[in-house]
Every structure is written in structure tokens, then in C-alpha cells.
Amino acid sequence: MSETMTMAKALNAGLRRALEADPKVVLAGEDIGQLGGVFRITEHLQRDFGPERVIDSPLAESGIVGTALGMALRGYRPVVEIQFDGFVYPAFDQIVSQVSRMRFRSMGRLGVPMVVRIPYGGAIGAIEHHSESPEAYFAHTPGLVVATPSTPLDAYWMIQQAVASDDPVVFLEPKRRYHEKGEVDLTEPPLAFDAARVVLEGTDATLISYGPMVKTCVEAALAASTEGRSLEVIDLRSVSPLDDATIRASVEKTGRAIVVHEAIRSGGIGGEIAARLQEWCFYSLEAPVLRVTGYDLPYPPSRVEKNYLPDLDRILDAVDRSMAD
């Protein structure tokens, strides 16, 4: 059975299904109850499941995550919402110093089955601290799963897979895609939680991306096809761990790779993927691995964010440079 819905509605439906499936699932965050969250992802869930399972928390990110950690250790499966990406940093210490290490610290005796939901990325015309892409901080931290959907279908299933995970998940939601619609199969999960997806098949070069930039990469691939170029597009879906096998197989086939993400270039996910491809595919590469990313700057004012974010022209320019080598 399929339905057409936005990513926001798909996340809401996925959370609803998780709450129905397990009485130990609890949601918490600022304004997620009566208001339904800034983006209405939790709309009507407090009405239907009660204020003890959908909790309006104080404005205190470190306290939200720290409380969820304690609940997870007591057998609950908390799902907490950070209102915007740039507000996660007060909770950063709890996530990387406590949540991520508990299984290792306890020699496997204690797990932390919790989800930290973070709307992330730009292109919504927001002010400072509302458009950031912090995924590399978390991907750099052992013990955390870092995942991000790019479609309503993945949003619906991946949020349920995140809640069911026995390890802590940082779940990044591309806010610029919240209101875009897609078909959602409500009966069959599409892929394993940590598997990448080949969105388009091609033979000349591979575009590797995740979250908000997957759609832009598909648009670039379709534009390139009018000039006779065949681009493969991979949606990573899981930033940590990476699906090494899918990435490697694609680049060994095409011989060229371009990694696209909104986050700044230095120390980003693109650099990690480029290093892995250098190790695995040295004799298959026809050109250096390229990156199309945000610039090494704080996220700019919304008036000029279009100049900061990767777009179709910058991706096609990278394809031209790769094909010229």
C-alpha cells in the first residue's frame, strides 16, 4: 500500500508507528507536544499518546539529551528533537562524551538505544544557527550511527529503523526537503538502515551525496544526460557507517567520482570518501576524486546563501573538470 506524502508527514507517520509498536518509545523536545514542533513533525502525537510519552521539555539541549541518556539506560527508547542544527552544540558534550561511549565503556553491558533528531542544512532563508550541517562532528565519533534520508520513503522507514536500533543514532533531517512530496510504501522497508542506494545508474562518473543534495545531484545528472554524459548518483543514506561496497563498486565501474555536500569542505565527509577511494580504486580512477561543498566559512546570511550552497552549475562544472582529465 502506497501513499503520496511530504517528508514531514512521512516522519510524523513513522514516529506514530514507532510509538504504537513499542510502549517504551518516548519523544521529547522543545515545543514538540502541543505545538507539534517547529516543522510540525510531531503534530498531534501528544494528543494521541499523551504528555508522558510526548514531552515538552525545557529549552536546554544538554538537559534534553542527558535526560534521554538516563531513560535509555533504564530501558526506554527516547527520541529527542533538537529544534535546529545550530542549537545542538550545548548537547555536544553529552552526545560525544557520554552517549557514544556507553557501550564501549561498559564492555558491552549497557546500550543506549536513543535517537537525536536534528533538522539540518540551509536554503530556507533562515538566520544564523538555523542552516548548519554538523554531520562530520558526529561521524568522527565512534559509537554513533549518523543517518539522513533524502526522500519521504526513506524518512518514513529510516526513522523507524533508527528508533529500533540498539545503538545511538544521530538522525539528520534535511529541512529544505520537508515539504517535498513522494510515494511512500507503507508495507515494505526499502533498504537496510546502513545501506547506500543507487538512485540513477550511469557509466561516465559517480556523484556521491546524501540528504538535501541528492535531489540536486539527480537534477545535475539529468542535465548532463542532454549532453550525452551518463552519471551515476549514489545516496549514502548512512554517513556513519559508510556503505563502502556500494561506493567502491560504482567508482570502479565509472572511474570518476565527485562527492557533493552542503557542509564545509575541510574535514568533511567528502574528504573521508576521497581518501577511501584513493586506497581502494587507485588503479581504476581516471581522474582525481573531486568535492563540491560549502565553503570553509561560517554559514552566511540568508541573502547570499545561494552563493554558498552547491548547486547544479557547480556540480556540472566539477563533472567537466573530471571528464577533462
Side-chain angles (χ1 to χ4, degrees):
M1 180 178 66
S2 295
E3 292 185 15
T4 301
M5 62 179 75
T6 64
M7 179 180 286
K9 292 295 184 185
L11 288 164
N12 179 275
L15 288 169
R16 176 178 293 278
R17 188 161 169 175
L19 284 161
E20 291 170 344
D22 186 349
K24 291 294 187 181
V25 174
V26 176
L27 313 187
E30 299 157 19
D31 298 323
I32 71 162
Q34 187 173 1
L35 180 65
V38 173
F39 297 102
R40 306 298 188 267
I41 305 302
T42 54
E43 190 171 38
H44 300 322
L45 296 181
Q46 188 183 67
R47 179 195 68 186
D48 297 339
F49 294 92
E52 293 185 350
R53 295 191 68 195
V54 182
I55 302 166
D56 277 318
S57 67
L59 198 163
E61 286 77 11
S62 182
I64 295 169
V65 174
T67 302
L69 168 61
M71 295 179 72
L73 293 174
R74 297 294 294 178
Y76 290 89
R77 287 184 179 272
V79 182
V80 301
E81 177 181 296
I82 303 296
Q83 241 177 26
F84 285 92
D85 34 58
F87 302 156
V88 73
Y89 303 116
F92 190 73
D93 177 53
Q94 288 285 354
I95 296 171
V96 303
S97 299
Q98 307 299 334
V99 171
S100 68
R101 302 184 186 200
M102 195 58 67
R103 185 179 295 282
F104 187 81
R105 182 182 294 157
S106 66
M107 299 177 68
R109 288 191 292 270
L110 298 174
V112 182
M114 63 177 284
V115 181
V116 182
R117 293 181 41 241
I118 307 175
Y120 83 118
I124 64 166
I127 58 175
E128 188 180 16
H129 294 138
H130 291 69
S131 301
E132 299 178 18
S133 298
E135 60 267 28
Y137 293 124
F138 301 112
H140 185 68
T141 304
L144 296 176
V145 176
V146 184
T148 174
S150 67
T151 66
L153 174 65
D154 270 345
Y156 176 72
W157 284 109
M158 288 176 69
I159 189 62
Q160 294 178 69
Q161 292 167 323
V163 174
S165 171
D166 289 329
D167 288 312
V169 177
V170 175
F171 193 82
L172 298 161
E173 300 169 2
K175 65 173 84 77
R176 77 153 97 171
R177 306 300 182 197
Y178 268 151
H179 301 297
E180 295 181 359
K181 293 182 178 180
E183 284 294 308
V184 177
D185 186 334
L186 301 174
T187 56
E188 191 68 27
L191 282 174
F193 189 40
D194 58 356
R197 177 168 62 100
V198 178
V199 182
L200 285 178
E201 294 192 0
T203 56
D204 292 336
T206 302
L207 301 180
I208 303 167
S209 192
Y210 53 88
M213 294 309 300
V214 172
K215 180 179 180 180
T216 310
C217 286
V218 171
E219 291 169 349
L222 295 177
S225 69
T226 64
E227 299 176 350
R229 286 177 172 167
S230 172
L231 304 183
E232 186 146 301
V233 178
I234 291 180
D235 177 1
L236 292 175
R237 299 172 75 251
S238 171
V239 176
S240 181
L242 290 167
D243 180 354
D244 293 339
T246 299
I247 300 169
R248 180 173 182 171
S250 177
V251 177
E252 286 180 340
K253 178 178 71 173
T254 65
R256 292 178 170 84
I258 299 155
V259 189
V260 183
H261 58 63
E262 285 190 21
I264 62 175
R265 171 175 300 210
S266 296
I269 302 301
E272 174 61 30
I273 293 173
R276 294 189 190 201
L277 291 173
Q278 176 81 359
E279 294 175 12
W280 302 329
C281 307
F282 183 80
Y283 293 106
S284 301
L285 287 171
E286 301 287 345
V289 179
L290 300 180
R291 290 171 287 170
V292 181
T293 70
Y295 299 109
D296 287 354
L297 298 166
Y299 197 87
S302 59
R303 184 177 300 176
V304 295
E305 67 179 348
K306 66 179 184 301
N307 299 319
Y308 173 88
L309 293 167
D311 60 12
L312 188 144
D313 287 340
R314 285 176 62 191
I315 296 170
L316 292 178
D317 176 68
V319 172
D320 287 342
R321 286 186 283 123
S322 180
M323 299 292 286
D325 285 329

